[in-house]
Amino acid sequence: MKPPEGPMDGKAATGSTPPAVSDSTYVEKPRDAKYVAAKRLQRAPKVRGGVELLTKRSEFLACARARKQGVKSMMVQGRDRGDDAPLRVGFTCSKKVGNAVARARAKRRMREVARLVLPTHGKPGWDYVLIGRAEQTDTRDFEALQQDLIFALRKIHSGTTSRPPKKPGRK
């Protein structure tokens, strides 16, 4: 039997190891709060169908404190940010809507309705959150979904919502 080639002492043959990196070439990036905040601001906003998406919980909570309008197929929340940036929209469905398949179906339908309706009936500088309703959002006629969203947007923009926003400083 022929012995294996190469040394058996655990050392590799010359030329087979990568060159060592000296400690002086590695520079640690600072991970302080300012660095992390700056990186977060550099991220491009998520855009779907020409409309930016709400992604952070704080943005959803800000909409929840603003104007609301319930319609048969969904709840619509709207908030005027006070700037001229493009409108943004977020979608949510609780477990009351059903299992994961039903919630996904409801969100797909709301995304498509928002894609069709918001460019013409939404206003720049506003945030909208569409909340699915149990046994309504995924089964309602698509044309009726569009009319529901148009009606809710009209009410939110006119300021005559079903529930006025709370006054600042009150709980």
Side-chain angles (χ1 to χ4, degrees), residues 93-124:
C93 287
S94 71
K95 288 190 175 182
K96 290 179 183 177
V97 173
N99 62 9
V101 175
R103 291 193 307 271
R105 182 183 308 118
K107 282 195 240 181
R108 278 196 309 271
R109 290 173 58 95
M110 287 190 298
R111 277 195 295 265
E112 183 62 18
V113 166
R115 186 186 69 81
L116 295 172
V117 171
L118 284 179
T120 55
H121 292 87
K123 291 185 178 180

Side-chain angles (χ1 to χ4, degrees), residues 11-163:
K11 294 181 182 176
T14 30
S16 64
T17 59
V21 177
S22 69
D23 291 335
S24 62
T25 58
Y26 180 73
V27 178
E28 178 80 23
K29 290 183 181 177
R31 294 290 182 194
D32 60 350
K34 288 181 183 177
Y35 175 79
V36 173
K39 288 303 249 182
R40 191 175 296 137
L41 290 175
Q42 291 176 357
R43 291 184 194 147
K46 292 185 178 181
V47 178
R48 179 172 288 190
V51 177
E52 288 185 17
L53 296 179
L54 297 176
T55 55
K56 297 180 186 159
R57 184 174 190 269
S58 61
E59 297 168 342
F60 280 86
L61 292 175
C63 271
R65 290 187 300 267
R67 299 177 182 169
K68 301 172 179 63
Q69 179 61 48
V71 289
K72 187 167 184 172
S73 60
M74 68 186 88
M75 169 71 78
V76 181
Q77 299 170 342
R79 176 178 83 100
D80 186 4
R81 291 189 316 264
D83 58 13
D84 290 331
L87 64 90
R88 300 184 305 181
V89 64
F91 307 94
T92 185
C93 287
S94 71
K95 288 190 175 182
K96 290 179 183 177
V97 173
N99 62 9
V101 175
R103 291 193 307 271
R105 182 183 308 118
K107 282 195 240 181
R108 278 196 309 271
R109 290 173 58 95
M110 287 190 298
R111 277 195 295 265
E112 183 62 18
V113 166
R115 186 186 69 81
L116 295 172
V117 171
L118 284 179
T120 55
H121 292 87
K123 291 185 178 180
W126 280 71
D127 289 343
Y128 303 102
V129 174
L130 280 60
I131 304 170
R133 288 196 190 267
E135 300 175 3
Q136 290 294 321
T137 306
D138 60 344
T139 58
R140 191 153 166 87
D141 181 51
F142 193 74
E143 190 66 35
L145 272 176
Q146 290 178 336
Q147 294 305 317
D148 286 348
L149 182 57
I150 291 169
F151 173 79
L153 291 174
R154 240 183 294 132
K155 294 289 256 182
I156 287 172
H157 293 151
S158 69
T160 59
T161 59
S162 59
R163 190 167 143 192

